[in-house]
Amino acid sequence: MSNQMVKGNTAVVIGAMYAGCDCFFGYPITPASEILHEASKYFPMVGRNFVQAESEEASINMVYGASGTGHRVMTSSSGPGISLMQEGFTFLAGAELPAVIVDIMRAGPGLGNIGPEQGDYNQVVKGGGHGNYKNIVLAPNSVQEMCDLTMKAFELADKWRNPVVVLADGTLGQMAEPLVFPEKAIEPKNDKDWAVKGNAETMDNLITSIFNDFNDLEDFNFKLQEKYAKIDEEEVIVDEYQVDDAEIILVSYGISSRIARSAVDKSREKGLKVGLLRPITLNPFPVDRIKELSDKGVSFISVEMSNGQLLADVQFAALKKEDTYLVNRMGGNLIELKHVLAKIYEIAGLDEEIDTSKRSDEKASPNIID
Amino acid sequence: MNDKEFNDKDYELQVRRNPQSLLEEYPRKGTNIQSTHYCAGCGHGILHKLIAECMDELGIQERCVMISPVGCSVYAYFYFNCGNFQTAHGRAPAVATGISRAEDNAIVMSYQGDGDLASIGLNETLQAANRGEKIAVFFVNNTVYGMTGGQMAPTTLIGEKTVTCQTGRDPDYAGHPTHMCELINTLKAPVFIERVSLANPLKIRLAKYAIKQALTVQKEGKGYSFVEVLSPCPTNLKQDVVSAQKFIEEQMEKEFPVKNFRNNLYTKQPVQRPASDFSTESLDKIFNVTRDGDSGYVDDEINPVSIKVSGFGGQGVLSAGLTIAQAACAEGKHVSWYPSYGPEQRGGKSNCSVVISNETIGTPVVDDIDILIALNKPSLEQFSQDVKEGGTILYDAHIGEFETDRDVKVIAMPCVDIAEEHGNARTANTALLGALTELGDVLKRESYENAIREMFASKPKVIDVNIDVLHAGAEWIKNNS
C-alpha cells in the first residue's frame, strides 16, 4: 500500500501543494502551527514561496497581495488569529479575490485554551468582518478530507473569486490517519484576466473594494448576493449516513461528526433508527435537505463543540425549534460518545441510564510528541 | 516667440503632457475626470508626477504595480498608469510583500501617508523593511491626517495644532514626532533610505533624484527602498502657499532632517528567488510518494480493534501507538491514531488511541478498549475500567500486582527487562509491541518491522535494536501465555 500515515495538519499542506498553491503566509499559533512548520519545510523545496508574517493581519494581507496577482495562495491560523484576520476576509470578499484560509479551531472566547472546539463557526460561516459578504466554508472530518477539501477549497476559491475557509479543529489537526495522495498535482495556469501581474497585459487592472458611488456599491452588493445564491444552488456537499429511514438525525461536522457516526452505530445496535447528516459545506448550508427531512417529522440533534451555533442553522433550515436538540461540549473538551447516546436514548424513550456526570480529564493533545 | 510657435501642437504637448506613467484623464474618478481629487497646493500631485517621470525614464512602467493606501492617496489608482491595488489601512507593506513574492518581476510600490504608514501600519512597515522585501515605499509626511479631517499624526510636531490636539501637541500627553527614516535606518536589510522635501523647486528636483534611485533598486531587484517626502497640506494646516513652504522649511525640516540615510544601490547584489515548481514528480519526491504500489484500502474482513497505549510522557507511548498505526496503514487497513495527555500536560500522563478497522472509523477516541497497553500505574488503574469484557490488558510487570474480577485477560510483562537484555530500557515500548504481534491476528509481524524501519528512518542505528526487542517480546509472550 502506498498510503501514508499523516497528521491532519500535514495533510493540509500536502493538499495545498498538490492543488498548485504557490504562496503560504502565516503566523504561529497553537494548534495550527504545524501547518506553518510543514509549509516552511516543503514550499521552498519546490521553489514556492513561504513567508512567516509578523501577525495574522499581515499574513491575510500578504494573501490579498499575492492573490491579486492571480496565484493560488493560502494562510492558516486558529481562533484568535482568525479574529485578527477578519479585516482581510472582508477586503478579499470585497475585491473578489480567491484565497484559502485554514482555521484549526481552539477553545475560546479570548485566549481560552488550546483544546479543540468549534466556536469559530459563526465568525467563519456568517462572515465575521464588516459588510454583506460570506465565505465559502468546508468542514473536513478526517485526515483524508483535510487534504482533499484543501484542494477543493482552491478550486472553489478560483471558481467563485471568493475566500474559502477550511474549518477544522485541534483534534483533526493532531490525529493521524492513512492518506491516499492526490492522483496528480495541479499546475495552475494563472490565466485570470482580472489579476495584476506587473506586466503589459494586466496594466489596466485594479484590485480594489472601493465603490465611491453609492449606487455602484449597492449594485455590487446585489451582485455578491446573486453569487452567493448560485453558490447555494451549486455547491452544497453533504454526507449522509443511515439517514433514509432515520427518525432521529444527528447533524454534525468535523471531529464531532466522527463521534456522532459512532453514536449512530451504537444506537442502531439497539434497534433505534438514528442517522447522521454531515454538512461538508457549512456555507452553503444544506438547507433544502434539512427542510425535506424536517417535513418528514424527524427529530434533530445538533452535535457540536460550541454553544448551539450549528443548532441555530439547523433550526433555521428545519423551520422549527421544537424537536431540535443540542449535545455539546466546550472549553476544549471533545464530545464524548456517552453524551450523544444519552440524548438519543432520552428522545427515543429508551429506558437506559447513562452516567454523563463525570467529565473526562483526558485532553486532546496540542503539540506534544514523546 | 511668435504666435505660430506658441500654438505649435508638439510644443504644447511637450509642456503640458503628463508623463506616460500617469493617465491623461482619470475615468476611474467618475466625475471631473480631467482634474485630480487633491486640494490646491497639496504635495501628492507633485510626488505622483515625480514617481511617474521616474517610471518613464527607467522604462519600467509595464512592470510597475502601485499600491494605494487609506488616506488622501487612497485614490492613487485614479492616476497611475500601471497595475494598481487598493488596500486596507496600514497594510500596504504586507500586500506589497504578497505581490512581490508571487510575481518576482513586478516592481512594487507602496504609497502611504503618515497615519497609514507610521501609526496603524507601523508594524507592517518595519517588518517588510526588515525582511528586505523588494518594494519601494513612498512615505508622504505632512504631519497630519488629511482624509479624515486633520487629526494628529505620529509625525505632528510639538506644539502643532490639529483637531485632536487643539492646543498644540503636548509631548507629555501625546508623545513626540515619529522619525521613520531614522527608525528604518536601524534595520540591516534596507538598501536605500532617504528623506526629501517638496518645499521648493530645487528640493523637488533633488526629491526626484532620490525617487529614481529608489526605483532603480527595484528595477535591479536589490531589495527594500524607502523615501520619506516632507509635503505640504495647506487645507488641514490652514496655510497659504507661502506659509506652507515656510512651515516645511523652518519647522518640518528642522525636526525631520532632509538627507540620504543609506544608499547601497551600487553595492547590493540582487535578491534571487527561484521559480515555482508545480510538477507532480517533484511533489511525489519530497513527500516520498510511490506511484507503483496500490493505494487505497484493502477490504479484508477483520474485527475492528481498539488499542490504547498509555503511560508517562517520555515513555514512548505516542510513538508506540504510531508504530501500530503505521503497520496497519501499510496493510491497507483503516486506522486512526489520536494522541491525548493528562491534565498535567508536560511530563504527565500521556496516551494514544489506535483504532484499526476494515471500514470508515467513527470516533478516533477509544472508550471501549480491546487491548490496553499500560506503561505506568496511574494509567493502568484509570484505563483498565474501560477495557471490554474479553479484552486484554498488557502492562509493565514493574508496576506490580494487578488484579481484576472482570472477564479480562491480564498479562504482566517484564518489558523493561526484555528491553535491557536485548538493547536498552528505552525500547520497553517495543517489547510490548512484540507481545501485541502475538496477541491479536490483526496485523502481520513484518508490518510492525517495516513500521519500525519507517519510524526510525532518521536514526538507523536504533532500527536493529528495536527489531530485536520486538522479536524478543513476541517470543516472551509465546512462552508465557
Side-chain angles (χ1 to χ4, degrees):
Chain A
M1 282 298 124
S2 58
N3 299 355
Q4 280 185 30
M5 227 28 217
V6 168
K7 279 182 136 192
N9 280 337
T10 308
V12 165
V13 174
I14 292 169
M17 294 188 77
Y18 278 84
C21 178
D22 190 25
C23 305
F24 186 101
F25 307 103
Y27 184 80
I29 183 169
T30 309
S33 291
E34 282 175 335
I35 298 177
L36 187 75
H37 305 170
E38 299 289 70
S40 77
K41 176 180 170 188
Y42 290 114
F43 271 63
M45 280 183 173
V46 285
R48 303 198 202 171
N49 300 289
F50 171 87
V51 179
Q52 180 170 332
E54 58 269 30
S55 67
E56 288 87 350
E57 289 153 317
S59 37
I60 196 72
N61 279 284
M62 290 176 188
V63 164
Y64 181 95
S67 170
T69 66
H71 291 251
R72 287 190 159 183
V73 301
M74 74 178 296
T75 184
S76 64
S77 190
S78 184
I82 297 292
S83 299
L84 279 171
M85 287 183 188
Q86 292 301 348
E87 173 193 68
F89 277 85
T90 168
F91 274 73
L92 286 165
E96 289 195 279
L97 289 179
V100 172
I101 302 100
V102 180
D103 179 3
I104 306 296
M105 289 183 279
R106 57 187 259 178
L111 208 52
N113 65 39
I114 55 179
E117 211 190 55
Q118 296 179 317
D120 291 2
Y121 182 91
N122 277 350
Q123 78 155 338
V124 166
V125 173
K126 305 297 174 187
H130 59 279
N132 309 302
Y133 80 94
K134 284 183 191 173
N135 304 309
I136 296 172
V137 186
L138 305 175
N141 83 341
S142 65
V143 168
Q144 186 68 49
E145 285 190 357
M146 290 289 266
C147 172
D148 295 352
L149 292 183
T150 301
M151 291 190 82
K152 175 92 182 162
F154 281 100
E155 178 199 320
L156 291 175
D158 278 353
K159 179 176 174 187
W160 297 102
R161 291 185 59 185
N162 205 70
V164 179
V165 182
V166 176
L167 189 66
D169 62 82
T171 311
L172 283 166
Q174 287 304 315
M175 62 189 269
E177 288 182 317
L179 177 71
V180 179
F181 268 69
E183 267 175 31
K184 62 177 179 42
I186 291 165
E187 306 197 21
K189 291 189 290 286
N190 194 4
D191 51 4
K192 296 162 183 165
D193 58 5
W194 46 262
V196 174
K197 302 176 192 171
N199 60 19
E201 295 73 42
T202 62
M203 263 176 67
D204 292 338
N205 289 347
L206 165 67
I207 305 295
T208 186
S209 57
I210 295 183
F211 293 85
N212 280 310
D213 186 286
F214 292 6
N215 289 336
D216 287 350
L217 183 55
E218 189 175 39
D219 289 346
F220 175 70
N221 268 288
F222 280 125
K223 193 188 116 193
L224 275 187
Q225 307 321 308
E226 281 165 22
K227 175 166 95 174
Y228 299 145
K230 267 196 206 152
I231 292 171
D232 285 345
E233 240 170 65
E234 293 177 30
E235 304 295 358
V236 173
I237 313 172
V238 64
D239 177 33
E240 297 187 4
Y241 182 60
Q242 313 263 40
V243 162
D244 286 344
D245 66 338
E247 290 159 3
I248 298 172
I249 290 178
L250 310 179
V251 184
S252 190
Y253 69 95
I255 193 63
S256 305
S257 69
R258 298 284 295 262
I259 293 124
R261 186 183 167 108
S262 292
V264 170
D265 290 339
K266 290 264 179 194
S267 307
R268 290 265 167 186
E269 281 170 21
K270 293 201 178 292
L272 300 177
K273 289 183 175 170
V274 178
L276 166 66
L277 184 137
R278 173 170 76 95
I280 292 176
T281 51
L282 293 173
N283 184 56
F285 196 71
V287 178
D288 295 343
R289 182 59 178 143
I290 289 177
K291 176 69 172 52
E292 195 182 321
L293 293 164
S294 173
D295 289 345
K296 280 169 65 181
V298 305
S299 308
F300 291 103
I301 306 176
S302 176
V303 181
E304 59 182 279
M305 279 141 63
S306 49
N307 61 340
Q309 297 181 29
L310 175 66
L311 175 68
D313 274 357
V314 173
Q315 290 175 334
F316 183 77
L319 292 177
K320 64 173 185 183
K321 272 197 170 178
E322 72 280 5
D323 217 13
T324 60
Y325 305 88
L326 174 66
V327 176
N328 68 339
R329 295 297 301 273
M330 292 181 282
N333 288 308
L334 206 60
I335 290 266
E336 287 174 71
L337 190 56
K338 63 185 179 189
H339 291 109
V340 188
L341 290 175
K343 182 59 84 180
I344 292 171
Y345 296 169
E346 180 197 318
I347 296 168
L350 196 73
D351 193 20
E352 183 157 339
E353 283 290 307
I354 296 180
D355 179 16
T356 55
S357 59
K358 190 178 154 281
R359 295 209 282 187
S360 162
D361 59 359
E362 289 306 306
K363 307 295 174 204
S365 170
N367 267 331
I368 58 162
I369 275 288
D370 63 353
Chain B
M1 193 183 294
N2 63 34
D3 281 1
K4 191 180 172 294
E5 250 178 345
F6 186 76
N7 288 329
D8 183 272
K9 210 169 172 233
D10 289 342
Y11 178 76
E12 191 180 58
L13 271 176
Q14 207 178 347
V15 175
R16 293 182 53 196
R17 197 180 140 275
N18 271 336
Q20 195 185 319
S21 297
L22 281 184
L23 292 163
E24 282 293 319
E25 288 185 328
Y26 318 124
R28 281 181 180 139
K29 193 161 168 262
T31 53
N32 295 329
I33 62 168
Q34 279 164 331
S35 62
T36 73
H37 75 287
Y38 295 117
C39 308
C42 171
H44 280 302
I46 300 169
L47 183 56
H48 282 22
K49 191 161 184 176
L50 296 182
I51 294 170
E53 283 174 1
C54 293
M55 287 162 65
D56 282 8
E57 289 165 23
L58 292 169
I60 56 172
Q61 183 193 5
E62 292 178 350
R63 288 172 62 195
C64 283
V65 178
M66 174 59 81
I67 303 177
S68 310
V70 168
C72 285
S73 45
V74 64
Y75 301 127
Y77 64 84
F78 286 172
Y79 314 115
F80 282 98
N81 189 6
C82 63
N84 278 283
F85 272 72
Q86 198 289 318
T87 66
H89 198 19
R91 314 291 176 231
V95 173
T97 299
I99 300 168
S100 166
R101 296 291 179 124
E103 282 293 343
D104 191 41
N105 191 50
I107 290 177
V108 186
M109 294 177 286
S110 169
Y111 189 113
Q112 301 174 261
D114 27 30
D116 194 83
L117 180 139
S119 187
I120 194 168
L122 182 61
N123 190 19
E124 283 83 353
T125 294
L126 291 178
Q127 305 281 0
N130 193 42
R131 284 191 305 267
E133 295 297 340
K134 292 198 251 184
I135 61 177
V137 177
F138 299 111
F139 168 40
V140 177
N141 175 357
N142 55 17
T143 74
V144 70
Y145 279 73
M147 187 62 119
T148 45
Q151 296 85 358
M152 184 182 73
T155 46
T156 298
L157 304 178
I158 299 300
E160 184 182 349
K161 290 177 184 170
T162 74
V163 295
T164 52
C165 51
Q166 301 205 358
T167 54
R169 184 177 192 168
D170 179 345
D172 286 345
Y173 290 88
H176 292 263
T178 308
H179 297 79
M180 287 311 304
C181 281
E182 288 80 351
L183 263 178
I184 288 170
N185 200 29
T186 62
L187 307 172
K188 282 189 175 166
V191 180
F192 182 87
I193 308 167
E194 184 157 330
R195 183 182 286 124
V196 299
S197 164
L198 301 182
N200 63 41
L202 173 62
K203 286 175 179 164
I204 289 172
R205 289 205 165 271
L206 293 172
K208 181 176 169 184
Y209 188 69
I211 291 163
K212 199 162 176 179
Q213 296 250 299
L215 285 176
T216 307
V217 171
Q218 301 314 313
K219 185 182 179 183
E220 295 175 9
K222 292 186 168 176
Y224 184 87
S225 42
F226 185 84
V227 180
E228 176 174 344
V229 183
L230 304 183
S231 180
C233 181
T235 301
N236 280 299
L237 298 182
K238 299 178 178 57
Q239 294 161 340
D240 59 18
V241 175
V242 176
S243 56
Q245 182 176 356
K246 216 171 138 193
F247 177 71
I248 297 177
E249 289 192 310
E250 291 177 10
Q251 294 189 53
M252 285 180 75
E253 289 180 13
K254 212 165 118 198
E255 181 68 34
F256 304 110
V258 172
K259 63 173 191 171
N260 178 275
F261 289 80
R262 188 183 303 176
N263 187 355
N264 293 339
L265 168 62
Y266 305 109
T267 51
K268 178 78 168 62
Q269 292 304 306
V271 179
Q272 305 286 356
R273 301 205 198 281
S276 298
D277 175 355
F278 294 103
S279 68
T280 306
E281 201 184 14
S282 301
L283 288 181
D284 284 358
K285 202 171 154 197
I286 64 173
F287 290 113
N288 300 315
V289 181
T290 46
R291 297 280 172 183
D292 42 358
D294 300 329
S295 62
Y297 295 95
V298 172
D299 210 12
D300 290 344
E301 275 299 315
I302 57 162
N303 290 321
V305 184
S306 300
I307 302 168
K308 176 90 89 179
V309 191
S310 61
F312 289 122
Q315 285 184 310
V317 167
L318 300 186
S319 58
L322 254 187
T323 307
I324 302 169
Q326 200 83 268
C329 174
E331 289 188 18
K333 304 276 197 300
H334 287 268
V335 56
S336 66
W337 171 88
Y338 169 76
S340 304
Y341 62 93
E344 309 88 347
Q345 297 201 22
R346 306 273 165 188
K349 281 185 291 179
S350 156
N351 80 75
C352 62
S353 300
V354 179
V355 183
I356 303 169
S357 179
N358 61 333
E359 54 184 29
T360 306
I361 293 167
T363 175
V365 187
V366 174
D367 290 327
D368 293 335
I369 302 170
D370 291 306
I371 301 170
L372 171 67
I373 299 176
L375 281 124
N376 71 357
K377 197 170 183 184
S379 60
L380 175 61
E381 282 169 353
Q382 183 187 347
F383 294 119
S384 56
Q385 309 159 26
D386 298 335
V387 177
K388 276 183 198 164
E389 296 282 312
T392 305
I393 297 174
L394 179 65
Y395 74 97
D396 176 7
H398 284 244
I399 293 171
E401 284 292 300
F402 177 81
E403 280 178 12
T404 175
D405 46 11
R406 293 169 56 225
D407 174 24
V408 171
K409 191 172 174 186
V410 180
I411 305 166
M413 180 180 182
C415 55
V416 178
D417 305 335
I418 295 169
E420 274 176 342
E421 197 182 314
H422 290 85
N424 62 62
R426 290 171 60 191
T427 57
N429 56 350
T430 308
L432 289 162
L433 290 185
L436 189 63
T437 62
E438 290 295 321
L439 278 179
D441 50 0
V442 191
L443 301 174
K444 302 185 192 93
R445 172 131 26 114
E446 66 196 59
S447 302
Y448 285 94
E449 291 171 13
N450 290 336
I452 286 171
R453 288 193 186 95
E454 214 170 300
M455 291 283 293
F456 295 108
S458 59
K459 296 182 254 178
K461 277 185 195 162
V462 301
I463 291 175
D464 289 345
V465 177
N466 272 281
I467 288 177
D468 283 350
V469 173
L470 185 83
H471 286 278
E475 269 319 294
W476 183 90
I477 200 95
K478 267 193 226 165
N479 303 329
N480 291 279
S481 62

